[in-house]
Amino acid sequence: MGMAWQSGTRRIGCSQAQKRRYSPGVQRVFPYISAMVNNGSLSYDHERDGRPTELGGCTAIVRNLHYDTFLVIRYVKRHLTIMMDIDGKHEWRDCIEVPGVRLPRGYYFGTSSITGDLSDNHDVISLKLFELTVERTPEEEKLHRDVFLPSVDNMKLPEVTAPLPPLSGLALFLIVFFSLVSSVFAIVIGIILYNKWQDQSRKRFY
């Protein structure tokens, strides 16, 4: 799976770009690109800019540029790679490379934005998706199909309780029916016991 993300006003073909090695420094400078894998049990820590759950990241100085900037997200054989072209030189730079990422099928892509105390603009000009042709062995194909929750090798994510399957119409009807029968039965038993108690109370006075 590959995804190309473009922001700005001028389009640059990905085929013209050449990949160049990029080694971000240890010090974090913003704007910053980071990646995390979530199975529904984690939350992004805004106070610490997501560091507790970050798998990797790099600085991306993209504010107030006069040319388009690009981001490529590629996921092949449990290998997540993120590259960017933000210098206007038609060159891809490595940003994040994480092996052992397990992503299930049937999920969706989405975009959102959030800012802190200072306001900022978030413009997505285009989003392109590409299905990559990858040859897999039967064992690899089975492992790929058996992934049901997002996870990362050598990273323990809190377990998520799987949602209960929805009840069928027949099961729902039976539950309601037996609940009503039980309620009626309890009411009848209550009336019988109440009448017996009244009879015993009358006998005491006579």
Side-chain angles (χ1 to χ4, degrees), residues 123-145:
D123 299 326
V124 178
I125 305 303
S126 65
L127 185 66
K128 296 182 179 180
L129 303 179
F130 305 91
E131 184 174 358
L132 304 179
T133 302
V134 180
E135 292 185 0
R136 293 190 179 93
T137 63
E139 292 78 10
E140 291 176 335
E141 184 64 30
K142 182 179 184 303
L143 291 174
H144 183 64
R145 288 197 310 266

PDB file of all heavy atoms in Angstrom, residues 123-145:
ATOM      1  N   ASP A 123      -3.571  22.613   5.096  1.00  0.00           N
ATOM      2  CA  ASP A 123      -4.146  22.490   3.755  1.00  0.00           C
ATOM      3  C   ASP A 123      -3.671  21.197   3.110  1.00  0.00           C
ATOM      4  O   ASP A 123      -2.464  20.978   2.979  1.00  0.00           O
ATOM      5  CB  ASP A 123      -3.743  23.674   2.872  1.00  0.00           C
ATOM      6  CG  ASP A 123      -4.239  25.000   3.432  1.00  0.00           C
ATOM      7  OD1 ASP A 123      -5.322  25.023   4.018  1.00  0.00           O
ATOM      8  OD2 ASP A 123      -3.528  25.998   3.266  1.00  0.00           O
ATOM      9  N   VAL A 124      -4.600  20.350   2.723  1.00  0.00           N
ATOM     10  CA  VAL A 124      -4.292  19.143   1.968  1.00  0.00           C
ATOM     11  C   VAL A 124      -4.821  19.353   0.557  1.00  0.00           C
ATOM     12  O   VAL A 124      -6.032  19.423   0.344  1.00  0.00           O
ATOM     13  CB  VAL A 124      -4.917  17.891   2.614  1.00  0.00           C
ATOM     14  CG1 VAL A 124      -4.606  16.663   1.775  1.00  0.00           C
ATOM     15  CG2 VAL A 124      -4.391  17.702   4.027  1.00  0.00           C
ATOM     16  N   ILE A 125      -3.905  19.465  -0.419  1.00  0.00           N
ATOM     17  CA  ILE A 125      -4.305  19.744  -1.795  1.00  0.00           C
ATOM     18  C   ILE A 125      -4.795  18.474  -2.481  1.00  0.00           C
ATOM     19  O   ILE A 125      -5.798  18.487  -3.193  1.00  0.00           O
ATOM     20  CB  ILE A 125      -3.137  20.359  -2.580  1.00  0.00           C
ATOM     21  CG1 ILE A 125      -2.604  21.602  -1.850  1.00  0.00           C
ATOM     22  CG2 ILE A 125      -3.572  20.734  -3.987  1.00  0.00           C
ATOM     23  CD1 ILE A 125      -3.636  22.674  -1.593  1.00  0.00           C
ATOM     24  N   SER A 126      -4.103  17.378  -2.296  1.00  0.00           N
ATOM     25  CA  SER A 126      -4.515  16.124  -2.935  1.00  0.00           C
ATOM     26  C   SER A 126      -4.010  14.948  -2.123  1.00  0.00           C
ATOM     27  O   SER A 126      -3.034  15.049  -1.376  1.00  0.00           O
ATOM     28  CB  SER A 126      -3.992  16.037  -4.377  1.00  0.00           C
ATOM     29  OG  SER A 126      -2.584  15.969  -4.381  1.00  0.00           O
ATOM     30  N   LEU A 127      -4.685  13.839  -2.292  1.00  0.00           N
ATOM     31  CA  LEU A 127      -4.350  12.596  -1.607  1.00  0.00           C
ATOM     32  C   LEU A 127      -4.513  11.466  -2.612  1.00  0.00           C
ATOM     33  O   LEU A 127      -5.611  11.242  -3.121  1.00  0.00           O
ATOM     34  CB  LEU A 127      -5.268  12.389  -0.402  1.00  0.00           C
ATOM     35  CG  LEU A 127      -4.983  11.206   0.508  1.00  0.00           C
ATOM     36  CD1 LEU A 127      -3.657  11.396   1.224  1.00  0.00           C
ATOM     37  CD2 LEU A 127      -6.101  11.036   1.536  1.00  0.00           C
ATOM     38  N   LYS A 128      -3.421  10.755  -2.914  1.00  0.00           N
ATOM     39  CA  LYS A 128      -3.454   9.682  -3.902  1.00  0.00           C
ATOM     40  C   LYS A 128      -3.111   8.364  -3.229  1.00  0.00           C
ATOM     41  O   LYS A 128      -2.157   8.282  -2.453  1.00  0.00           O
ATOM     42  CB  LYS A 128      -2.462   9.958  -5.030  1.00  0.00           C
ATOM     43  CG  LYS A 128      -2.786  11.196  -5.857  1.00  0.00           C
ATOM     44  CD  LYS A 128      -1.781  11.381  -6.988  1.00  0.00           C
ATOM     45  CE  LYS A 128      -2.124  12.608  -7.813  1.00  0.00           C
ATOM     46  NZ  LYS A 128      -1.152  12.804  -8.922  1.00  0.00           N
ATOM     47  N   LEU A 129      -3.858   7.331  -3.563  1.00  0.00           N
ATOM     48  CA  LEU A 129      -3.637   5.999  -3.005  1.00  0.00           C
ATOM     49  C   LEU A 129      -3.227   5.051  -4.112  1.00  0.00           C
ATOM     50  O   LEU A 129      -3.796   5.083  -5.214  1.00  0.00           O
ATOM     51  CB  LEU A 129      -4.904   5.481  -2.313  1.00  0.00           C
ATOM     52  CG  LEU A 129      -5.481   6.359  -1.201  1.00  0.00           C
ATOM     53  CD1 LEU A 129      -6.742   5.734  -0.644  1.00  0.00           C
ATOM     54  CD2 LEU A 129      -4.462   6.567  -0.092  1.00  0.00           C
ATOM     55  N   PHE A 130      -2.263   4.193  -3.836  1.00  0.00           N
ATOM     56  CA  PHE A 130      -1.783   3.221  -4.799  1.00  0.00           C
ATOM     57  C   PHE A 130      -1.704   1.853  -4.129  1.00  0.00           C
ATOM     58  O   PHE A 130      -1.186   1.737  -3.020  1.00  0.00           O
ATOM     59  CB  PHE A 130      -0.387   3.606  -5.313  1.00  0.00           C
ATOM     60  CG  PHE A 130      -0.297   4.986  -5.898  1.00  0.00           C
ATOM     61  CD1 PHE A 130       0.039   6.061  -5.095  1.00  0.00           C
ATOM     62  CD2 PHE A 130      -0.560   5.203  -7.241  1.00  0.00           C
ATOM     63  CE1 PHE A 130       0.124   7.338  -5.624  1.00  0.00           C
ATOM     64  CE2 PHE A 130      -0.476   6.465  -7.777  1.00  0.00           C
ATOM     65  CZ  PHE A 130      -0.136   7.546  -6.978  1.00  0.00           C
ATOM     66  N   GLU A 131      -2.222   0.846  -4.810  1.00  0.00           N
ATOM     67  CA  GLU A 131      -2.096  -0.529  -4.313  1.00  0.00           C
ATOM     68  C   GLU A 131      -0.837  -1.131  -4.914  1.00  0.00           C
ATOM     69  O   GLU A 131      -0.728  -1.257  -6.139  1.00  0.00           O
ATOM     70  CB  GLU A 131      -3.323  -1.358  -4.681  1.00  0.00           C
ATOM     71  CG  GLU A 131      -3.278  -2.758  -4.115  1.00  0.00           C
ATOM     72  CD  GLU A 131      -4.570  -3.516  -4.375  1.00  0.00           C
ATOM     73  OE1 GLU A 131      -5.492  -2.929  -4.954  1.00  0.00           O
ATOM     74  OE2 GLU A 131      -4.644  -4.694  -3.994  1.00  0.00           O
ATOM     75  N   LEU A 132       0.115  -1.486  -4.083  1.00  0.00           N
ATOM     76  CA  LEU A 132       1.388  -2.013  -4.541  1.00  0.00           C
ATOM     77  C   LEU A 132       1.293  -3.516  -4.760  1.00  0.00           C
ATOM     78  O   LEU A 132       0.724  -4.242  -3.954  1.00  0.00           O
ATOM     79  CB  LEU A 132       2.487  -1.702  -3.525  1.00  0.00           C
ATOM     80  CG  LEU A 132       2.655  -0.222  -3.166  1.00  0.00           C
ATOM     81  CD1 LEU A 132       3.761  -0.049  -2.131  1.00  0.00           C
ATOM     82  CD2 LEU A 132       2.961   0.607  -4.404  1.00  0.00           C
ATOM     83  N   THR A 133       1.853  -3.986  -5.862  1.00  0.00           N
ATOM     84  CA  THR A 133       1.884  -5.411  -6.160  1.00  0.00           C
ATOM     85  C   THR A 133       3.074  -6.038  -5.457  1.00  0.00           C
ATOM     86  O   THR A 133       4.230  -5.681  -5.723  1.00  0.00           O
ATOM     87  CB  THR A 133       1.982  -5.649  -7.680  1.00  0.00           C
ATOM     88  OG1 THR A 133       0.860  -5.019  -8.325  1.00  0.00           O
ATOM     89  CG2 THR A 133       1.977  -7.132  -7.994  1.00  0.00           C
ATOM     90  N   VAL A 134       2.785  -6.950  -4.546  1.00  0.00           N
ATOM     91  CA  VAL A 134       3.830  -7.582  -3.742  1.00  0.00           C
ATOM     92  C   VAL A 134       3.649  -9.092  -3.817  1.00  0.00           C
ATOM     93  O   VAL A 134       2.538  -9.608  -3.638  1.00  0.00           O
ATOM     94  CB  VAL A 134       3.767  -7.112  -2.274  1.00  0.00           C
ATOM     95  CG1 VAL A 134       4.856  -7.787  -1.459  1.00  0.00           C
ATOM     96  CG2 VAL A 134       3.897  -5.603  -2.195  1.00  0.00           C
ATOM     97  N   GLU A 135       4.728  -9.805  -4.100  1.00  0.00           N
ATOM     98  CA  GLU A 135       4.680 -11.263  -4.115  1.00  0.00           C
ATOM     99  C   GLU A 135       4.890 -11.787  -2.692  1.00  0.00           C
ATOM    100  O   GLU A 135       5.838 -11.412  -2.017  1.00  0.00           O
ATOM    101  CB  GLU A 135       5.761 -11.822  -5.045  1.00  0.00           C
ATOM    102  CG  GLU A 135       5.511 -11.511  -6.512  1.00  0.00           C
ATOM    103  CD  GLU A 135       6.540 -12.179  -7.417  1.00  0.00           C
ATOM    104  OE1 GLU A 135       7.424 -12.880  -6.866  1.00  0.00           O
ATOM    105  OE2 GLU A 135       6.459 -11.989  -8.634  1.00  0.00           O
ATOM    106  N   ARG A 136       3.973 -12.629  -2.252  1.00  0.00           N
ATOM    107  CA  ARG A 136       4.054 -13.211  -0.917  1.00  0.00           C
ATOM    108  C   ARG A 136       4.048 -14.727  -1.012  1.00  0.00           C
ATOM    109  O   ARG A 136       3.380 -15.306  -1.869  1.00  0.00           O
ATOM    110  CB  ARG A 136       2.868 -12.773  -0.047  1.00  0.00           C
ATOM    111  CG  ARG A 136       2.827 -11.300   0.311  1.00  0.00           C
ATOM    112  CD  ARG A 136       1.754 -11.067   1.359  1.00  0.00           C
ATOM    113  NE  ARG A 136       1.673  -9.677   1.770  1.00  0.00           N
ATOM    114  CZ  ARG A 136       0.864  -8.778   1.231  1.00  0.00           C
ATOM    115  NH1 ARG A 136       0.058  -9.140   0.246  1.00  0.00           N
ATOM    116  NH2 ARG A 136       0.855  -7.533   1.668  1.00  0.00           N
ATOM    117  N   THR A 137       4.761 -15.342  -0.091  1.00  0.00           N
ATOM    118  CA  THR A 137       4.694 -16.787   0.026  1.00  0.00           C
ATOM    119  C   THR A 137       3.369 -17.156   0.685  1.00  0.00           C
ATOM    120  O   THR A 137       2.717 -16.299   1.294  1.00  0.00           O
ATOM    121  CB  THR A 137       5.862 -17.313   0.877  1.00  0.00           C
ATOM    122  OG1 THR A 137       5.734 -16.774   2.208  1.00  0.00           O
ATOM    123  CG2 THR A 137       7.195 -16.879   0.280  1.00  0.00           C
ATOM    124  N   PRO A 138       2.932 -18.407   0.576  1.00  0.00           N
ATOM    125  CA  PRO A 138       1.684 -18.805   1.258  1.00  0.00           C
ATOM    126  C   PRO A 138       1.708 -18.523   2.750  1.00  0.00           C
ATOM    127  O   PRO A 138       0.690 -18.143   3.333  1.00  0.00           O
ATOM    128  CB  PRO A 138       1.586 -20.307   0.965  1.00  0.00           C
ATOM    129  CG  PRO A 138       2.334 -20.484  -0.313  1.00  0.00           C
ATOM    130  CD  PRO A 138       3.458 -19.487  -0.267  1.00  0.00           C
ATOM    131  N   GLU A 139       2.865 -18.692   3.392  1.00  0.00           N
ATOM    132  CA  GLU A 139       2.958 -18.406   4.830  1.00  0.00           C
ATOM    133  C   GLU A 139       2.776 -16.912   5.099  1.00  0.00           C
ATOM    134  O   GLU A 139       2.081 -16.514   6.040  1.00  0.00           O
ATOM    135  CB  GLU A 139       4.314 -18.876   5.373  1.00  0.00           C
ATOM    136  CG  GLU A 139       4.509 -20.389   5.388  1.00  0.00           C
ATOM    137  CD  GLU A 139       4.845 -20.950   4.005  1.00  0.00           C
ATOM    138  OE1 GLU A 139       5.115 -20.137   3.083  1.00  0.00           O
ATOM    139  OE2 GLU A 139       4.827 -22.182   3.844  1.00  0.00           O
ATOM    140  N   GLU A 140       3.404 -16.070   4.270  1.00  0.00           N
ATOM    141  CA  GLU A 140       3.262 -14.626   4.436  1.00  0.00           C
ATOM    142  C   GLU A 140       1.831 -14.180   4.184  1.00  0.00           C
ATOM    143  O   GLU A 140       1.317 -13.303   4.877  1.00  0.00           O
ATOM    144  CB  GLU A 140       4.216 -13.885   3.494  1.00  0.00           C
ATOM    145  CG  GLU A 140       5.678 -14.025   3.860  1.00  0.00           C
ATOM    146  CD  GLU A 140       6.590 -13.359   2.843  1.00  0.00           C
ATOM    147  OE1 GLU A 140       6.167 -13.217   1.675  1.00  0.00           O
ATOM    148  OE2 GLU A 140       7.716 -12.986   3.205  1.00  0.00           O
ATOM    149  N   GLU A 141       1.178 -14.776   3.201  1.00  0.00           N
ATOM    150  CA  GLU A 141      -0.211 -14.417   2.912  1.00  0.00           C
ATOM    151  C   GLU A 141      -1.116 -14.801   4.069  1.00  0.00           C
ATOM    152  O   GLU A 141      -2.035 -14.045   4.425  1.00  0.00           O
ATOM    153  CB  GLU A 141      -0.664 -15.118   1.629  1.00  0.00           C
ATOM    154  CG  GLU A 141      -2.067 -14.741   1.178  1.00  0.00           C
ATOM    155  CD  GLU A 141      -2.175 -13.269   0.814  1.00  0.00           C
ATOM    156  OE1 GLU A 141      -1.176 -12.688   0.369  1.00  0.00           O
ATOM    157  OE2 GLU A 141      -3.286 -12.706   0.983  1.00  0.00           O
ATOM    158  N   LYS A 142      -0.881 -15.956   4.677  1.00  0.00           N
ATOM    159  CA  LYS A 142      -1.688 -16.375   5.828  1.00  0.00           C
ATOM    160  C   LYS A 142      -1.481 -15.426   7.009  1.00  0.00           C
ATOM    161  O   LYS A 142      -2.438 -15.029   7.682  1.00  0.00           O
ATOM    162  CB  LYS A 142      -1.347 -17.804   6.225  1.00  0.00           C
ATOM    163  CG  LYS A 142      -2.194 -18.339   7.387  1.00  0.00           C
ATOM    164  CD  LYS A 142      -1.823 -19.762   7.723  1.00  0.00           C
ATOM    165  CE  LYS A 142      -2.741 -20.313   8.830  1.00  0.00           C
ATOM    166  NZ  LYS A 142      -2.698 -19.475  10.046  1.00  0.00           N
ATOM    167  N   LEU A 143      -0.210 -15.066   7.271  1.00  0.00           N
ATOM    168  CA  LEU A 143       0.063 -14.136   8.363  1.00  0.00           C
ATOM    169  C   LEU A 143      -0.583 -12.775   8.105  1.00  0.00           C
ATOM    170  O   LEU A 143      -1.047 -12.111   9.032  1.00  0.00           O
ATOM    171  CB  LEU A 143       1.579 -13.986   8.547  1.00  0.00           C
ATOM    172  CG  LEU A 143       2.322 -15.212   9.084  1.00  0.00           C
ATOM    173  CD1 LEU A 143       3.819 -14.973   9.073  1.00  0.00           C
ATOM    174  CD2 LEU A 143       1.838 -15.556  10.485  1.00  0.00           C
ATOM    175  N   HIS A 144      -0.607 -12.356   6.849  1.00  0.00           N
ATOM    176  CA  HIS A 144      -1.218 -11.072   6.505  1.00  0.00           C
ATOM    177  C   HIS A 144      -2.728 -11.110   6.732  1.00  0.00           C
ATOM    178  O   HIS A 144      -3.314 -10.142   7.216  1.00  0.00           O
ATOM    179  CB  HIS A 144      -0.908 -10.732   5.046  1.00  0.00           C
ATOM    180  CG  HIS A 144      -1.420  -9.401   4.613  1.00  0.00           C
ATOM    181  ND1 HIS A 144      -0.976  -8.209   5.157  1.00  0.00           N
ATOM    182  CD2 HIS A 144      -2.360  -9.059   3.696  1.00  0.00           C
ATOM    183  CE1 HIS A 144      -1.608  -7.201   4.598  1.00  0.00           C
ATOM    184  NE2 HIS A 144      -2.449  -7.690   3.703  1.00  0.00           N
ATOM    185  N   ARG A 145      -3.362 -12.231   6.405  1.00  0.00           N
ATOM    186  CA  ARG A 145      -4.811 -12.352   6.594  1.00  0.00           C
ATOM    187  C   ARG A 145      -5.185 -12.468   8.064  1.00  0.00           C
ATOM    188  O   ARG A 145      -6.290 -12.074   8.451  1.00  0.00           O
ATOM    189  CB  ARG A 145      -5.342 -13.582   5.843  1.00  0.00           C
ATOM    190  CG  ARG A 145      -5.378 -13.449   4.345  1.00  0.00           C
ATOM    191  CD  ARG A 145      -6.278 -14.515   3.744  1.00  0.00           C
ATOM    192  NE  ARG A 145      -5.956 -15.837   4.263  1.00  0.00           N
ATOM    193  CZ  ARG A 145      -5.125 -16.686   3.678  1.00  0.00           C
ATOM    194  NH1 ARG A 145      -4.513 -16.348   2.562  1.00  0.00           N
ATOM    195  NH2 ARG A 145      -4.880 -17.874   4.204  1.00  0.00           N
TER     196      ARG A 145
END
